Amino acid sequence: MSSIVLAAAEDIRSEDSERLIKELSEELGLLYGGDGTAGFQPSDVETPRAAFIVARLDGYPVGCGAIRPLDDTSVEVKRMYTRSDFRRKGVAQAILAEAERLALEFGYTNLKLQTGPKQPEAAALYERVGYYRIPIFHGDWDQVLAYQKDLVLSATHRNEPSSLNA
């Protein structure tokens, strides 16, 4: 029997959220140096039309992501993370699906994100789910892969949390 990954907006200041962000920052710090935060602050998603998403498998927090406004039509996907034991189980896809659903609900027409070249699995995932390469849109670090996905409001748009079978 397969488990279902549920991804939904949650409080960024909760214990689970803070633990996931800390784990991600530690992992990115080891890959790229620095503190691994990439300048992200919890207040980035404590604004209108923004959200922090936690993915859970059987209630256990297994990953996270965030969306924060860039402008009236674009939202940035930030803090994408899946705990290592739960990778390749649909966690990141569930987070991205919820990010897209929320972006549509908030009235955005596209999502943008940036990742690094030391994360080829992340880049492959983004391309697999419909993101395409664009020029760097934030920051001046040359070691960035930038992506965008255009959203189309469809008749199947639902207002319920995203889920995928794991």
Side-chain angles (χ1 to χ4, degrees):
M1 180 175 168
S2 67
S3 296
I4 296 176
V5 176
L6 293 174
E10 295 191 16
D11 181 357
I12 192 164
R13 307 250 182 207
S14 74
E15 186 177 327
D16 288 341
S17 297
E18 288 179 349
R19 186 174 293 119
L20 289 164
I21 292 168
K22 182 177 185 234
E23 290 173 15
L24 168 62
S25 295
E26 288 171 354
E27 187 172 303
L28 292 177
L30 290 173
L31 277 176
Y32 297 105
D35 66 5
T37 65
F40 180 83
Q41 298 294 319
S43 59
D44 290 346
V45 296
E46 294 177 320
T47 63
R49 301 175 71 210
F52 188 76
I53 300 162
V54 174
R56 294 178 179 279
L57 183 61
D58 297 328
Y60 179 74
V62 295
C64 63
I67 56 172
R68 70 174 180 186
L70 288 173
D71 56 42
D72 286 343
T73 61
S74 301
V75 67
E76 183 178 14
V77 176
K78 296 289 290 179
R79 303 287 82 185
M80 283 292 298
Y81 173 67
T82 302
R83 288 180 159 158
S84 60
D85 290 349
F86 298 93
R87 293 180 182 163
R88 299 190 175 270
K89 297 183 185 303
V91 174
Q93 293 93 324
I95 295 165
L96 287 170
E98 181 65 357
E100 292 169 20
R101 187 192 71 75
L102 288 168
L104 279 168
E105 181 180 307
F106 296 155
Y108 295 107
T109 59
N110 66 72
L111 296 101
K112 295 181 180 182
L113 60 84
Q114 295 183 148
T115 190
K118 294 181 180 180
Q119 296 166 277
E121 298 86 0
L125 166 69
Y126 300 135
E127 291 174 8
R128 194 168 53 251
V129 298
Y131 286 77
Y132 57 90
R133 291 285 301 270
I134 60 171
I136 296 170
F137 58 87
H138 181 70
D140 58 8
W141 191 46
D142 61 353
Q143 295 294 306
V144 171
L145 306 173
Y147 290 90
Q148 178 171 320
K149 184 171 186 178
D150 300 320
L151 298 172
V152 178
L153 186 59
S154 70
T156 60
H157 174 65
R158 299 185 319 258
N159 284 324
E160 57 194 49
S162 298
S163 64
L164 288 175
N165 288 332

